[in-house]
Amino acid sequence: MPMLTANWARNITFRAAHVHQPTSVDELRALVERTARIRALGTGHSFNLIADTTADLVRVDGLPGTVEIDREQNTATVAAGLRYAEVAVALEREGFALANLASLPHISVAGSVATGTHGSGNGQQSLAGAVAALSLVAPDGTLVEVNRDTDPGAVVALGALGIVTALTLDIEPTFQVAQQVYRSVPLDEIGASFDAVFGSAYSVSAFTGWASGEAVVWQKRRVGEPDPGWRGAHPATEPVNPVPNMPATNATQQLGLAGPWHERLPHFRPEFTPSAGEELQSEFFLPRTEAGRAVAALREIGELIESVLQISEIRTVRGDDLWLSPSYHRDSVTFHFTWVKDELAVAPVLAQVEQRLLPLGARPHWGKLTSIPANQIVASYPCAPDFAALLRRFDPDGKFRNSFVDDLFPLS
């Protein structure tokens, strides 16, 4: 596989002295033991400096791509470097499923979990919520096993505790999903009837440009579950892409045709690249109770947002107990912004968005762009001091740190 020299959007050029790609866990362990400072690099889908380092980077997608199913425990232990699309196919082949997937099936399991990445659904936690345990390489090269019950801070960990080699995920029997898209849904309706709209299916997303006052709602219904009743007035009569002016062939099957979970829960098909990386992204997690106020606040600057926007997406995430999860102890609504690739133009608009969402309790996605100071981000997490202590215990000399982690949790 080619070595990454920049992230997917190419707004970050990695400064690493060396990029390694071991082919076995033993080779990885030896590498970590002899290296002074090292960070893991996933598929490069973050838009900030979370993966960057001036020391060494290591990719784990060269490790054996194993998926081991435990039918008694209803878990699957998967190699950290696998992409969700690869895991999904292996699980479906054996009659199993994950409860949730992100919009992009192209992203790596370990990287997604480490940053709190998510799909959508009132009843569905982030992808990290499915992690029962994980294996990681400690600073001295030993292999350490941790689980969410004893170390709830070790799951969403920003890559700061060690190099993850495998994750054990909760699985369930495979299921079918039917996807329907509704056009021209008023943002007034979404704001005023948020619970009805987002409670209308297993997974719901709303796409908007903000200036028009309308949204396109993607409703993913789990086959066999009761119909909650909400339907948009204008069902799409042909397939669409979430991003305006992009081909519908890149998107997953719609028009109510049922299919396997992994072919409907993402917005994009794994065999297609949804874009060429010509974008920037920001996202904010708010308490779900603030959804209506947040929609109203963003509509006030809708034309400003749309001036540098490709598309914005609203989703929901169920709360969890993971210390650095942006949905820690609160059911959340998320506001995602796919910006044009022009940081100078986006920066003042992003600041206006943050100015309106921060008073409502916004927490930024760990892997996306924000101008919120690191100490202010950390202050929004009740268990941040506990994570700082965990960080000192797992990595007392800072082998897995970089400037991103140092800004959040200074090495003392």
Side-chain angles (χ1 to χ4, degrees):
M1 296 182 183
M3 288 297 177
L4 295 179
T5 57
N7 67 334
W8 176 69
R10 300 188 304 280
N11 69 307
I12 302 293
T13 299
F14 298 128
R15 301 170 296 162
H18 304 282
V19 181
H20 307 272
Q21 194 176 28
T23 58
S24 71
V25 172
D26 285 344
E27 184 183 348
L28 173 62
R29 291 174 60 188
L31 170 68
V32 170
E33 183 181 15
R34 69 173 183 266
T35 305
R37 213 165 192 194
I38 191 167
R39 288 283 289 176
L41 174 62
T43 47
H45 279 84
S46 292
F47 292 79
N48 58 21
L49 296 173
I50 189 170
D52 189 40
T53 181
T54 55
D56 284 19
L57 280 172
V58 60
R59 293 176 59 176
V60 294
D61 52 358
L63 302 180
T66 55
V67 177
E68 300 175 355
I69 295 173
D70 186 328
R71 295 176 182 270
E72 292 186 1
Q73 297 296 321
N74 282 326
T75 60
T77 299
V78 308
L82 287 177
R83 299 169 187 249
Y84 272 98
E86 298 169 310
V87 174
V89 170
L91 292 179
E92 175 67 17
R93 188 184 302 124
E94 300 298 324
F96 288 96
L98 297 170
N100 208 358
L101 287 171
S103 298
L104 286 175
H106 310 69
I107 54 182
S108 69
V109 177
S112 304
V113 166
T115 55
T117 298
H118 61 97
S120 188
N122 286 354
Q124 305 306 315
Q125 294 179 336
S126 73
L127 300 179
V131 177
L134 51 83
S135 301
L136 55 82
V137 179
D140 63 357
T142 58
L143 202 59
V144 177
E145 306 288 330
V146 297
N147 67 71
R148 64 185 168 207
D149 295 326
T150 58
D151 285 304
V155 181
V156 181
L158 316 181
L161 301 183
I163 309 299
V164 177
T165 62
L167 303 94
T168 299
L169 309 176
D170 297 329
I171 59 175
E172 60 183 87
T174 186
F175 56 92
Q176 298 259 307
V177 174
Q179 181 168 225
Q180 183 64 60
V181 175
Y182 296 92
R183 296 179 177 271
S184 303
V185 179
L187 284 173
D188 283 342
E189 181 177 356
I190 290 176
S193 304
F194 190 86
D195 290 342
V197 174
F198 279 82
S200 67
Y202 185 77
S203 175
V204 176
S205 296
F207 291 90
T208 182
W210 292 106
S212 70
E214 293 183 339
V216 178
V217 173
W218 287 53
Q219 189 187 65
K220 303 169 190 273
R221 296 184 58 237
R222 186 162 172 160
V223 173
E225 290 191 343
D227 182 351
W230 184 89
R231 288 287 185 272
H234 305 284
T237 56
E238 58 184 21
V240 299
N241 190 300
V243 183
N245 304 316
M246 293 294 288
T249 51
N250 292 11
T252 48
Q253 178 68 51
Q254 301 150 44
L255 304 179
L257 181 64
W261 59 283
H262 66 295
E263 296 179 0
R264 298 294 185 274
L265 291 179
H267 296 322
F268 300 100
R269 301 173 189 252
E271 63 267 29
F272 291 100
T273 301
S275 79
E278 292 300 316
E279 62 190 61
L280 302 171
Q281 293 183 11
S282 300
E283 186 174 33
F284 302 92
F285 294 66
L286 284 71
R288 203 159 72 206
T289 53
E290 300 292 345
R293 282 183 282 272
V295 169
L298 293 173
R299 288 195 64 191
E300 291 176 356
I301 54 170
E303 291 188 3
L304 178 65
I305 293 172
E306 193 153 316
S307 69
V308 292
L309 186 73
Q310 295 191 39
I311 195 65
S312 182
E313 182 180 8
I314 306 170
R315 290 181 283 179
T316 58
V317 187
R318 183 162 67 91
D320 58 46
D321 296 322
L322 307 175
W323 291 351
L324 291 191
S325 167
S327 293
Y328 176 76
H329 278 194
R330 66 187 199 189
D331 294 337
S332 299
V333 56
T334 70
F335 293 87
H336 183 278
F337 303 88
T338 299
W339 308 109
V340 299
K341 193 176 177 183
D342 185 340
E343 293 192 50
L344 288 178
V346 167
V349 180
L350 175 57
Q352 288 292 317
V353 167
E354 292 172 336
Q355 181 179 323
R356 283 157 177 79
L357 296 185
L358 275 173
L360 302 178
R363 294 170 178 161
H365 188 293
W366 289 115
K368 301 186 190 295
L369 296 179
T370 181
S371 64
I372 304 172
N375 62 342
Q376 191 172 347
I377 295 172
V378 170
S380 70
Y381 287 86
C383 289
D386 301 293
F387 182 79
L390 187 72
L391 191 53
R392 289 191 295 271
R393 176 160 66 89
F394 271 73
D395 187 21
D397 297 322
K399 176 170 283 195
F400 304 113
R401 287 173 167 269
N402 63 355
S403 60
F404 184 91
V405 175
D406 288 340
D407 285 346
L408 294 164
F409 302 98
L411 182 61
S412 55

